[in-house]
């Protein structure tokens, strides 16, 4: 949510409950295996649907479509339809999507930094279970 100082600096009309609810909804939408992979690949370049599907690997047509729609709904992906026959559709990250990609990259860096500690903790936990 924010620190007390950050919260007190908000205008009185700010609806913190609504902002918190929206944040939770967005986190739920993007914190999936497929969404994170889509964000990572589209962060590299604009792609057409089947190109993105090949790059992600192992994702069905239906699941990719659902995830792209969710990311587009949240303003993270932009869908561009080119008037050709058949229509050509391209997907790219918006500025918000690019900013989120940096956060995702930070999470990946964190994982690499602490991978051996995480593995050791899991071994200890499984030994005590």
């Amino acid at each position: 949510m924010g620190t007390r100082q950050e919260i007190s600096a908000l205008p009185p009309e700010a609806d913190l409950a609504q902002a918190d609810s929206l944040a939770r909804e967005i986190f739920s939408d993007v914190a999936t295996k497929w969404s994170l992979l889509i964000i990572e690949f589209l962060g590299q370049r604009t792609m057409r649907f089947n190109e993105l599907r090949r790059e992600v690997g192992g994702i069905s047509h239906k699941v990719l479509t659902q995830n792209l729609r969710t990311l587009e709904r949240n303003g993270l992906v932009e869908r561009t339809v080119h008037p050709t026959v058949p229509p050509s559709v391209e997907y790219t990250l918006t500025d918000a999507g690019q900013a989120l990609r940096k956060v995702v990259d930070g999470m990946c860096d964190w994982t690499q930094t602490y991978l051996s500690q995480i593995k050791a903790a899991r071994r200890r936990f499984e030994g005590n279970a």
Side-chain angles (χ1 to χ4, degrees), residues 21-47:
S21 175
L22 181 60
R24 289 172 192 257
E25 184 181 329
I26 292 169
F27 293 156
S28 175
D29 286 346
V30 301
T32 69
K33 167 178 130 177
W34 297 120
S35 289
L36 294 174
L37 286 171
I38 291 165
I39 289 167
E40 183 61 31
F41 284 109
L42 287 180
Q44 297 170 12
R45 67 182 185 282
T46 298
M47 292 187 197

Side-chain angles (χ1 to χ4, degrees), residues 33-112:
K33 167 178 130 177
W34 297 120
S35 289
L36 294 174
L37 286 171
I38 291 165
I39 289 167
E40 183 61 31
F41 284 109
L42 287 180
Q44 297 170 12
R45 67 182 185 282
T46 298
M47 292 187 197
R48 294 179 63 175
F49 185 91
N50 284 325
E51 177 185 14
L52 179 59
R53 187 171 173 208
R54 279 190 304 274
E55 289 290 326
V56 171
I59 189 170
S60 71
H61 186 280
K62 178 183 176 183
V63 171
L64 180 55
T65 299
Q66 289 171 337
N67 277 267
L68 285 168
R69 286 182 180 162
T70 298
L71 293 170
E72 183 181 8
R73 175 180 173 262
N74 285 308
L76 303 171
V77 168
E78 184 177 313
R79 179 179 184 266
T80 304
V81 180
H82 299 282
T84 59
V85 179
S88 171
V89 180
E90 292 181 328
Y91 296 90
T92 191
L93 289 184
T94 62
D95 290 343
Q98 288 288 359
L100 181 58
R101 182 177 183 235
K102 291 178 184 174
V103 173
V104 171
D105 288 346
M107 292 169 56
C108 291
D109 292 345
W110 173 86
T111 303
Q112 289 300 317

